[in-house]
Every structure is written in structure tokens, then in C-alpha cells.
Amino acid sequence: MESLQKPLQVQNLAIVDLPPELIVNILSRLSVKSLCRFRCVSKLWLALINHPRFVKMHLAHTQREKLFMSAGDSNFFYSRKASLYSIDLESISYDVNKVDAVKIDIAAFISDLDIAAFELNHLVKWHTWCIISSSNGLLCFRLGKYFWLYNPSTRERKQVPDFNFPKHMDSGFGFSYVDSIDDYKLVILHRPGNIVDIYSLRKNSWTSIQHDFCIGYGFFRQLGFPLNGAIHWDSYYVDYDLNPDTFDRVIIAFDLVEENFKTLQLPEFFGLGQFFGLFKGYLSFFDRNKDTYRFWVMKEYGVVASWTIILTVNSPCFLRPLCYLKNSNTMMLNRDYGYNQELVFYNPKCLKFKKIEVNGSREFYVNSHIEYVESLVSLNYENHFRTEDKLLEYWF
């Protein structure tokens, strides 16, 4: 009888009988979807799950990666209109032949705009969604001159306050969390000109600063990549003190805390080169000479000698890296034939490309993309960090 009674005792153990620190540890390892449901359990659990300390703990424990894309199907080549999609990277590997891309309903974002009907129709007809960046599960993207922040995991969204976007300017964009000041910043770097516009999520306002950093010829890619508290772009730079007649191609970094610029040197590349952001947490670059691609990473931040070739690939088509699948040591790329595009896997062990279907289609046109992780980070930032409740004393 004793052997039968023990399982019953375990089954009847209520979770409230567990130590609070154990409950916190267990909950911090669950999915965002589950935690959003568990907010309804009690006021105690609601206070815990919404608390910034728990949000950061959960972010550290759960790093489920997804790919967010502005992309289109086979009609995109003719219509040039893209939709927003999400792909769960944890559920795919080199062995799969098909990938499901979940289409994001953008009607809610459009309805946020308080603009005239004719302007709205023009915006939807002639502009494509552009993903700027992601940070701690928050995505930043724009449609025309309008910007949004969005947490796909909680479906919380926020339209950034209206910004007087200059016409006929070549602007660089970036978005990132800044740990030392506990804030999220959206940066718009204008060229020509000497103005940087910065939006603070915590303050929910824009500020403008002037600079004397000379950017020549514009950006090779307008979307900057966040790393080490700075946004990085591939561009030309003129040093008027050392060599005023020479434009050097460099990585321009804008420090989000000090709000100033510095430059990082690119590797000695051949042919056509392109800075493509982050790969395995490193600044990344690739160059192309005829049909040969070389992929580089800067293994030690800011040290030009640390640029290292990690992969060489031969392909007659243009390749654009999208992400790296950790579970199968595989790179996902967008392969462009000029008249159509497709998603492919490349496995460096077998040195082979593999076409993959997306939502049943072989053709899939990626306009912009970014990796992100699931998180509970709230866009109601000001109130979120004022949350102080006596109920929290139970947990912490």
C-alpha cells in the first residue's frame, strides 16, 4: 500500500507549496505563449511575469530564435509588394524540405495610422514594409515614413511618434537595446547633412544631435546592425585631417551611449564586397570574385587583424546570407537568379545547396530580414519599469 500512496502524494502537491524561488526558476524557462496564459492564474503570478527582473531572467534562459522577413511569393517579381513573415528556426534543419512561414496580419498596424484615406491608399500601394532591426525580441520596422515597434511573441505593438522624415535623403537606420542606460533607441543617420535623429523608447520622444563626421557617397546598406552598444553601417568615410581627398570604405559605428562615431576597418577583400551584419554574434562580411564567395567574421571586435574567412562557396547566382541554423551547422541563404529568388540551405560538410519550399512555393523573394528571440519585453516601457508592488516581495 505504501508504494501506491507515494505517487498520490506527489500528484496532490500543489504548486503553491513549492518555494517561490523554485517557481520563478521553472516559469523563467517556459515559452512566452505559456507565460502569457499563466498571467491569469493569480495576481501573484501576474505581478511576477510582468516584472522587469523576471523578464530579463526569462530572456537569459530562453533563446528561441526566429527569422522575421519582409518577403513575397512568386507574384512579388511583378507587384514588388511584400508581406511580413515569421519562421521558427528551432523547428527546422538541413534535413527538412519544406518550411512554414507564418504571415503576420498587418491590418492592425495600418489601422493605427491616423491619416487621410488617399494618403493611406498611396502608402499601401507604393511602399514596402522594411524591417530595420530587432533587439531582445522587439522588432522595429517602417512603412514609408511611419515606424513601429512590435513584439511578435506577445503581439504588443507601438507606433513611434510622428517623425518629420526628410525627402530625397539617403538615410541609415538602426535599432538596439542599450544595457548601460536600460533603454531602446531608434537611430536615423542622414546623408547629406550632419544630423542624427534618435528616438528613446523610455522617454517616448525624439532628439536631434549634430556631428562633424563626414560620410561620403551614402550607405551600401541602409539598415544598420547592433552590437556592443553601437549601430554599424557599411559606408565611405573621409578623414579631412589625414587624407581629405580619399574616401575609405569602412564600417561606421554610432555609439548609442556616448552618441558619437568611430570607424572599423574591413578585411582586404577582392571583387564585390558586402557587409551583411551579424553571424554567430560577430560582425560579418562577404566578398565575391566571379562565382566564388568568401564569408568573413571579425572575431575580436574592432581588431582588423581578427577578420577570418569561415566559409568559401562557389555559386553562379547572387547569394545573400539570412541566418545560421545552430542545430545542424547550416546556413540559410536567399539565392537570386535575377528573374526569381528562392531560399536554400547550404551545409559546409557536404558542400551542397538544397532548395526548400516555403508555404508550398519554390519562389520566395526576401526584401529584408532579421533574426529575433522570443521575449516578454513590454513596449509600455515607462509604466513597465515603474511597476513596484508589495506582491513582488513574495517572489524576490
Side-chain angles (χ1 to χ4, degrees), residues 375-393:
S375 84
L376 291 163
V377 175
S378 174
L379 292 169
N380 192 15
Y381 212 58
E382 183 177 356
N383 293 333
H384 185 72
F385 279 82
R386 287 180 179 174
T387 301
E388 293 296 338
D389 196 301
K390 290 184 178 180
L391 291 175
L392 299 176
E393 297 176 2

Side-chain angles (χ1 to χ4, degrees), residues 177-240:
Y177 174 68
V178 192
D179 183 66
S180 61
I181 58 176
D182 201 15
D183 195 6
Y184 291 83
K185 289 188 176 183
L186 166 61
V187 175
I188 304 179
L189 173 58
H190 303 292
R191 200 211 68 87
N194 61 343
I195 298 294
V196 179
D197 290 300
I198 305 168
Y199 167 75
S200 162
L201 176 58
R202 193 162 197 173
K203 297 177 182 177
N204 194 32
S205 62
W206 289 92
T207 57
S208 297
I209 63 171
Q210 290 189 331
H211 65 88
D212 56 2
F213 190 86
C214 184
I215 303 170
Y217 298 126
F219 305 95
F220 285 87
R221 192 177 187 274
Q222 288 183 294
L223 306 180
F225 297 93
L227 183 66
N228 289 354
I231 307 294
H232 303 78
W233 294 273
D234 181 6
S235 184
Y236 282 104
Y237 164 68
V238 183
D239 190 332
Y240 283 107

Side-chain angles (χ1 to χ4, degrees), residues 1 4 60 74 123 135 208-209 261 288 304 319 338 341 343 346 370 378 381 384 391 394:
M1 290 295 292
L4 294 175
S74 56
L123 187 70
S135 187
S208 297
I209 63 171
F261 290 92
R288 179 187 183 188
V304 64
L319 299 175
Q341 296 182 23
L343 291 190
Y346 182 80
I370 198 71
S378 174
Y381 212 58
H384 185 72
L391 291 175
Y394 177 81

Side-chain angles (χ1 to χ4, degrees), residues 209-377:
I209 63 171
Q210 290 189 331
H211 65 88
D212 56 2
F213 190 86
C214 184
I215 303 170
Y217 298 126
F219 305 95
F220 285 87
R221 192 177 187 274
Q222 288 183 294
L223 306 180
F225 297 93
L227 183 66
N228 289 354
I231 307 294
H232 303 78
W233 294 273
D234 181 6
S235 184
Y236 282 104
Y237 164 68
V238 183
D239 190 332
Y240 283 107
D241 294 329
L242 297 178
N243 199 344
D245 298 323
T246 301
F247 287 83
D248 294 321
R249 186 174 176 184
V250 296
I251 295 175
I252 295 173
F254 180 75
D255 190 297
L256 294 171
V257 178
E258 302 296 332
E259 297 185 341
N260 56 22
F261 290 92
K262 63 180 176 181
T263 61
L264 287 74
Q265 298 301 311
L266 291 168
E268 293 289 338
F269 62 92
F270 57 54
L272 299 174
Q274 183 174 334
F275 173 53
F276 69 91
L278 303 182
F279 185 74
K280 297 184 180 181
Y282 300 112
L283 293 177
S284 307
F285 187 84
F286 74 83
D287 58 17
R288 179 187 183 188
N289 186 17
K290 296 182 179 179
D291 294 342
T292 301
Y293 287 81
R294 299 188 304 178
F295 295 90
W296 304 70
V297 296
M298 178 181 268
K299 291 197 170 182
E300 187 175 349
Y301 183 78
V303 179
V304 64
S306 70
W307 281 107
T308 305
I309 297 174
I310 59 169
L311 184 65
T312 301
V313 178
N314 292 315
S315 172
C317 310
F318 181 76
L319 299 175
R320 179 151 55 102
L322 299 180
C323 62
Y324 174 75
L325 304 180
K326 298 177 182 177
N327 55 13
S328 58
N329 192 30
T330 300
M331 186 181 288
M332 180 189 288
L333 308 104
N334 190 222
R335 186 158 64 179
D336 190 347
Y337 290 93
Y339 55 89
N340 69 3
Q341 296 182 23
E342 60 190 10
L343 291 190
V344 295
F345 288 150
Y346 182 80
N347 191 315
K349 289 185 177 180
C350 58
L351 304 178
K352 289 183 179 181
F353 289 100
K354 179 181 179 180
K355 297 181 182 179
I356 52 175
E357 291 184 4
V358 181
N359 295 347
S361 175
R362 286 269 183 188
E363 296 183 23
F364 199 70
Y365 297 78
V366 178
N367 177 55
S368 57
H369 72 283
I370 198 71
E371 290 182 70
Y372 76 97
V373 295
E374 289 188 342
S375 84
L376 291 163
V377 175

